[in-house]
Amino acid sequence: MDGIKRALTIDLRTLALFRVLLGSIIFSDLVMRCRDFAAFFPDTGIIPRRLAVDWFGDSTWSLYFINGSAEFAALLIGVAMLAALCVVFGYRTRTMAIVSWILLCSLQQRTAILSSGADDLLRLLLFWGIFLPLGARWSIDAALERQDPYPQKGLCNVATIALLAQASYVYWAGALLKTGSAWTTTHNAVFFALNLEQFRTPIGAWVLANFEPLLPYLTQFVYGIELYGPILLFAPFWLLYLRLPVLGFLIAMHVGFLILLNVGPFPFVSITSLLLFTPKEVWDWLGSRVNRGENIRVFYDKGCEFCLKTVCLMRVFLVLPNISVQAAQDDRDIEPVFARHDSWVVVAPDGEQHIEWDAVVWLVRQSTALGWLALPARLAGGLFGGPRLYHFIGDRRYVWGRLTRLLMPWRNTKAAFPYPLQAGIGLAALFALQINLAPVVRSVPDIHPNVEFLRTTFGLWQKWDMFAPFPLTDTRWPIIEGVRRDGSRLDLFRDQLANPARTKPKDILEEYSNYRWRKFYGRLYLAKFDYYRWDYAQYQCRRWNNAPGRAVTDLITRVEILTGSEPTIVGDAPEDYKVESQGIYDCQ
């Protein structure tokens, strides 16, 4: 039993790393989506709200459905960015994680046609993380705790089991969905994947050209590590010696995806999920090799609550947990120094005293994790005058104290995990397990229609079918043409006035401005998404015709959506591509 419990335990330091990475990915994704804000979010873009509602049906919900204006969408994105940053730094962590999850679900249901498996995994990881103490280590919350509610290093409960299980579904469920011969017999799945020019990077093209004989072995490696790796991750024996190599292989696989194929944020989200399996021995080993602040003493103004909180925050974020924090007025030797300089005092292990901004720079330099910040801190002191900068902040410490009392009060968190909540998490975990088993195990039924709404309501929808049951076997690229009043054509896809070429582009991946647009165009040509085409055409009409300085002769009256395609050639057959029209749409 001890081995099983150990295999299902997540170290609190691992949860802290997980929190930072998860919040960072959410924030960076929001920033990148904003580059195409006008296209993706308001009703005047490519996805009016009525189309988004149709995706999931009656159980669809999203805060973005309240209002379709650009201003309202910008407000929600701003709140989502702020919540994501709060998750990164561990400020009111659970509350901000819940806010982030609500806004993330809202975003993904608002722009479902742009979403991928990476988005599903990100949402699911955040959902299960809500029920765990993500802010127990290396966070603002942890710095403000009067007493650590989680003195133990690790945690094992129904929420940790659900989170680890979720991380594993991507692999074993994904492998069981790979039933095509390209994975199971001919082993040319990687060959087909690297021939998809809409995904392939320049390094991927080089590997395909120079190492094609090795690709069948790479296919078997990917299939094998996805299918059997999760079993070894949960092994209740030899945990350290089995888990670390498997983690290394799985992470290496995702690094390979990152280098060879442009699959968006999937490698980053997946690696974040895999790091949940980091054994505590890794952290203990790292901890034994870093400066933890032994024999460093920090003295602060006894009557200054802001000063004490600042020191506590520095102790947590600089990862110097063993520094001693005392009031300057309580030490006979330090009190005169404090009174003379009106400054905190940092005493090094050798007895050397540091004050004012010099103490900030010195203490930062002691951090193994963030010692590199000492240089910009010193430069800031030189630019603004170290003592002057310190006293600008310090002379207003009682104002800061009132502000932090309001925004950052001391915390008295209780490590409570009531049984009803545990039961609810357990039922949700079983629900998620059924969602993953149903497509791959015949004896497991699909979700009953009467409870199917729960899948959308709680954001638990998932299916890990990337390159399953086999990879795509053709390269595709969009051709978007605008038709002028005189019948001549221009290239809307590239924003060029010249007559568009319908030949295959030299570098298809470079044709897309980003991953989201490639996902959109990759679905637009499919018959089941044809109802998106009219609104997309109207967006292109408005975008082109309303551009400042557009000549009357260059205004368009119609848009034609076409798709070029070329099958993947096995052997020495000549390349051959075709162009198909998905419809011509009048500008309204």
Side-chain angles (χ1 to χ4, degrees), residues 307-502:
C307 303
L308 178 58
K309 287 178 179 176
T310 301
V311 174
C312 290
L313 287 167
M314 293 186 71
R315 179 169 60 182
V316 166
F317 283 102
L318 295 177
V319 198
L320 298 171
N322 294 337
I323 63 175
S324 172
V325 180
Q326 303 169 244
Q329 291 89 335
D330 293 342
D331 188 286
R332 288 187 307 174
D333 298 327
I334 296 299
E335 198 280 334
V337 180
F338 165 77
R340 182 166 60 254
H341 297 282
D342 190 24
S343 167
W344 71 329
V345 183
V346 177
V347 182
D350 61 4
E352 182 181 5
Q353 296 178 353
H354 301 270
I355 61 171
E356 298 174 337
W357 193 256
D358 172 64
V360 175
V361 176
W362 184 88
L363 193 60
V364 171
R365 191 182 299 123
Q366 307 316 302
S367 172
T368 304
L370 298 177
W372 55 274
L373 288 175
L375 177 59
R378 186 172 61 187
L379 292 175
L383 182 63
F384 300 104
R388 186 167 66 252
L389 178 60
Y390 174 84
H391 286 290
F392 175 83
I393 300 171
D395 291 348
R396 296 162 178 79
R397 55 185 178 268
Y398 295 106
V399 176
W400 299 121
R402 288 193 294 271
L403 185 62
T404 57
R405 198 174 301 120
L406 175 66
L407 299 178
M408 298 169 57
W410 294 110
R411 297 171 60 87
N412 292 288
T413 303
K414 304 297 182 184
F417 200 24
Y419 288 115
L421 179 59
Q422 294 185 50
I425 296 171
L427 290 174
L430 291 174
F431 191 70
L433 178 61
Q434 183 183 1
I435 291 172
N436 283 280
L437 285 176
V440 297
V441 180
R442 289 185 179 181
S443 59
V444 177
D446 287 331
I447 301 300
H448 193 278
N450 290 342
V451 296
E452 190 172 358
F453 71 95
L454 295 174
R455 178 163 41 190
T456 305
T457 301
F458 293 102
L460 293 175
W461 70 87
Q462 54 192 290
K463 189 176 183 181
W464 311 111
D465 56 354
M466 178 182 286
F467 298 136
F470 43 77
L472 297 173
T473 56
D474 59 351
T475 292
R476 290 183 177 269
W477 61 95
I479 303 168
I480 313 298
E481 299 180 351
V483 183
R484 299 183 181 92
R485 289 189 176 90
D486 62 4
S488 63
R489 299 194 171 215
L490 50 83
D491 193 336
L492 287 174
F493 185 70
R494 300 180 183 85
D495 280 345
Q496 295 176 356
L497 292 171
N499 193 47
R502 294 187 178 183

Side-chain angles (χ1 to χ4, degrees), residues 234-249:
F234 286 104
F237 50 85
W238 301 339
L239 186 140
L240 188 64
Y241 303 104
L242 289 176
R243 184 173 283 188
L244 285 181
V246 172
L247 280 177
F249 286 135

